[in-house]
């Protein structure tokens, strides 16, 4: 009985929690062009030209940078879009996801 109550309480608690959010980070490399990264940022992450340029330079200097924070499915879709665009253009550009 105690175990059943405990399980029900745990389930209720989990249902009350906000779903986790995920950071989508873009990684620097030596081959992807700056223009391509800026274009990806505008198309996939819906940033302005100016913001995309700022984020791209930050990644170029620091090795990686934050492109956005989303629910898991959205973050996964954005990462898949980046991977598909990079593959199409034969660039090694990579994304990573981090739980917030
Ligand atoms: N380092 C790349 C260059 O000098 C530009 C670049 C920026 C690549 C950000 C990837 O996520 C990246 N062409």
């Amino acid at each position: 009985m105690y175990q059943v109550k405990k399980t029900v309480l745990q389930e209720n608690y989990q249902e009350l929690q906000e779903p986790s959010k995920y950071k989508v980070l873009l990684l620097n490399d030596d081959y992807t062009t700056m223009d391509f990264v800026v274009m990806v940022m505008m198309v996939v992450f819906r940033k302005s030209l100016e913001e995309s340029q700022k984020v791209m330079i930050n990644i170029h200097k620091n090795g990686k940078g934050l492109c956005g924070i989303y629910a898991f499915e959205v973050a996964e879709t954005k990462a898949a879009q980046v991977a598909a665009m990079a593959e199409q253009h034969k660039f090694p550009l990579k994304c990573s996801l981090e739980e917030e």
Side-chain angles (χ1 to χ4, degrees):
M1 193 57 191
Y2 171 69
Q3 186 54 46
V4 171
K5 271 191 187 158
K6 194 176 160 200
T7 306
V8 169
L9 283 172
Q10 277 170 349
E11 279 167 7
N12 286 347
Y13 177 77
Q14 274 162 9
E15 278 162 24
L16 287 171
Q17 294 304 295
E18 289 289 320
S20 304
K21 294 270 188 167
Y22 289 80
K23 294 180 187 171
V24 182
L25 303 153
L26 220 53
L27 310 180
N28 188 35
D29 66 72
D30 293 337
Y31 303 101
T32 307
T33 62
M34 292 183 170
D35 282 352
F36 183 76
V37 177
V38 169
M39 188 270 288
V40 165
M41 216 88 81
M42 293 176 74
V43 171
V44 177
F45 299 99
R46 305 255 168 234
K47 293 184 188 297
S48 67
L49 174 63
E50 291 73 20
E51 180 65 12
S52 298
Q53 286 168 333
K54 269 193 215 162
V55 177
M56 184 279 293
I57 288 293
N58 168 51
I59 300 167
H60 176 71
K61 288 185 177 158
N62 299 311
K64 64 179 175 176
L66 181 64
C67 294
I69 302 175
Y70 308 95
F72 183 70
E73 287 76 8
V74 178
E76 241 189 355
T77 303
K78 303 257 180 212
Q81 285 171 340
V82 171
M85 288 169 78
E87 196 183 317
Q88 209 176 16
H89 292 83
K90 308 256 186 287
F91 285 128
L93 184 63
K94 291 271 179 298
C95 255
S96 73
L97 299 192
E98 260 178 33
E99 193 173 355
E100 205 188 13

